[in-house]
Amino acid sequence: NIFSHRKLFTFAALRLCGQLFSSIALYIILFSAFGCHNKDFTPKKRGYFRIDLPQKAYQKYDSDCPFTFEYPVYAKMENETGPHTEPCWVNMQFPTFNGTLHLSYKPIKGNLEQFTEDVRVLVNKHIVKSSGIPETPFSFPGKVYGVKYDIEGNAASAVQFYITDSVKHFMRGAFYMNVAPQIDSLAPVIQFLEKDIDHMIETFQWK
């Protein structure tokens, strides 16, 4: 009859609830026993991909421009292109590392002080993102004089400099990584390529 069916239905429902409750209780016990075993959890530090750096080797750059220098074999020299390009503006491309050293040559016509001031203005534009900009004057045989600026921190440009003979020639250099600046991941590459920039400056000669 209808009452018997109700009793059977109620009994089945109670039995199902009991099984469900037992399963939940068992899950809670297991989670408490194993899930919270390690209370001293420490998040792992952020990691970066390993970068394979090539062996240092150099070759000579020579052209119709009034200067020469040595540059790494894993770099490519290209002429600057664009509407405001001037003669003897060249780029040292680092395809493997996605970086570029822009070299801009200008003849001096009584305006050396203006050129050096322009460099300082361009360097100081990175002060907002930089944690410091130490400058290093240098002087090498062959009337190679100048100042190198190491732009520290998450600035767009990591190194800038100028080279001059103080009478006829002036060269500005600006190194950029062609990616969003992230010093933690880019530091090994920048340090590696900065040695190539130093070598370029040390071997620089006016014609």
Side-chain angles (χ1 to χ4, degrees), residues 37-109:
H37 180 69
N38 184 9
K39 295 181 180 180
D40 299 325
F41 173 74
T42 302
K44 293 182 178 180
K45 294 182 179 180
R46 180 180 296 178
Y48 299 100
F49 292 109
R50 182 175 178 270
I51 301 172
D52 293 321
L53 302 175
Q55 292 292 322
K56 295 287 187 188
Y58 298 94
Q59 57 194 330
K60 186 175 182 179
Y61 175 77
D62 199 356
S63 68
D64 295 333
C65 297
F67 52 81
T68 68
F69 53 81
E70 292 185 1
Y71 69 102
V73 296
Y74 41 82
K76 295 193 306 182
M77 298 302 302
E78 298 179 352
N79 292 327
E80 177 69 57
T81 59
H84 304 294
T85 299
E86 297 183 21
C88 295
W89 284 22
V90 294
N91 296 327
M92 187 186 299
Q93 301 284 4
F94 298 93
T96 303
F97 306 104
N98 199 16
T100 305
L101 175 61
H102 301 274
L103 299 170
S104 306
Y105 170 81
K106 284 181 174 290
I108 296 175
K109 298 178 181 179

Side-chain angles (χ1 to χ4, degrees), residues 106-118 167 170:
K106 284 181 174 290
I108 296 175
K109 298 178 181 179
N111 51 0
L112 175 60
E113 185 176 349
Q114 182 60 54
F115 285 165
T116 57
E117 181 61 24
D118 289 344
V167 179
F170 188 88

